[in-house]
């Protein structure tokens, strides 16, 4: 289990990015986060060309498979489809880590 964002567990910062220009304002060892939409492919291409780690918010198994093949480091998925995507990740040996955002530690 990977925990990101807990105040007592160190982690690399994640930066939500919506444009290539915004990438210039992040530290060099950052992991970028994108929303998976029709505009994201230019951002992914830029990140890959510059060896920048990135993760994506995905909303379906189809998006998860596409983003895995685009070499995403993280796939942030809704809780209601997390098990399905994790099963695919396990079966097909995804390199990307499947993450679910939670609000309370009990989740």
């Amino acid at each position: 289990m990977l925990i990101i964002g807990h105040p007592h567990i160190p982690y690399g910062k994640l930066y939500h990015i919506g444009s290539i220009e915004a990438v210039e304002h992040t530290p060099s060892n950052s992991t970028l986060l994108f929303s998976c939409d029709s505009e994201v492919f230019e951002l992914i291409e830029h990140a890959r060309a510059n060896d920048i780690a990135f993760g994506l918010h995905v909303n379906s198994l189809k998006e998860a498979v596409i983003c895995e093949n685009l070499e995403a480091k993280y796939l942030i998925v809704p809780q209601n489809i997390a098990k399905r995507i994790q099963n695919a990740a396990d079966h097909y040996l995804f390199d990307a880590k499947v993450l679910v955002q939670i609000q309370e530690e009990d989740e």
Side-chain angles (χ1 to χ4, degrees):
M1 177 184 296
L2 178 64
I3 298 175
I4 298 173
H6 191 279
H8 301 295
I9 300 172
Y11 65 97
K13 294 286 186 185
L14 306 174
Y15 296 89
H16 289 274
I17 299 296
S19 68
I20 290 174
E21 295 77 30
V23 174
E24 297 172 9
H25 301 290
T26 61
S28 61
N29 60 347
S30 301
T31 298
L32 308 179
L33 293 179
F34 310 134
S35 294
C36 191
D37 58 29
S38 60
E39 311 283 318
V40 76
F41 297 106
E42 183 179 356
L43 291 168
I44 292 171
E45 185 177 313
H46 179 78
R48 289 178 66 195
N50 291 285
D51 293 321
I52 301 171
F54 64 94
L56 291 116
H57 290 275
V58 299
N59 294 303
S60 69
L61 179 57
K62 178 182 174 181
E63 287 179 357
V65 170
I66 290 169
C67 293
E68 157 62 16
N69 280 274
L70 292 170
E71 301 174 354
K73 182 175 182 177
Y74 301 119
L75 303 172
I76 299 104
V77 304
Q79 205 163 18
N80 64 329
I81 61 170
K83 185 172 177 106
R84 183 173 181 215
I85 292 175
Q86 185 61 56
N87 287 341
D90 292 342
H91 184 77
Y92 293 106
L93 304 175
F94 282 17
D95 290 322
K97 300 287 185 195
V98 178
L99 306 179
V100 176
Q101 186 174 6
I102 61 170
Q103 302 304 316
E104 301 292 328
E105 287 184 24
D106 293 340
E107 292 180 83

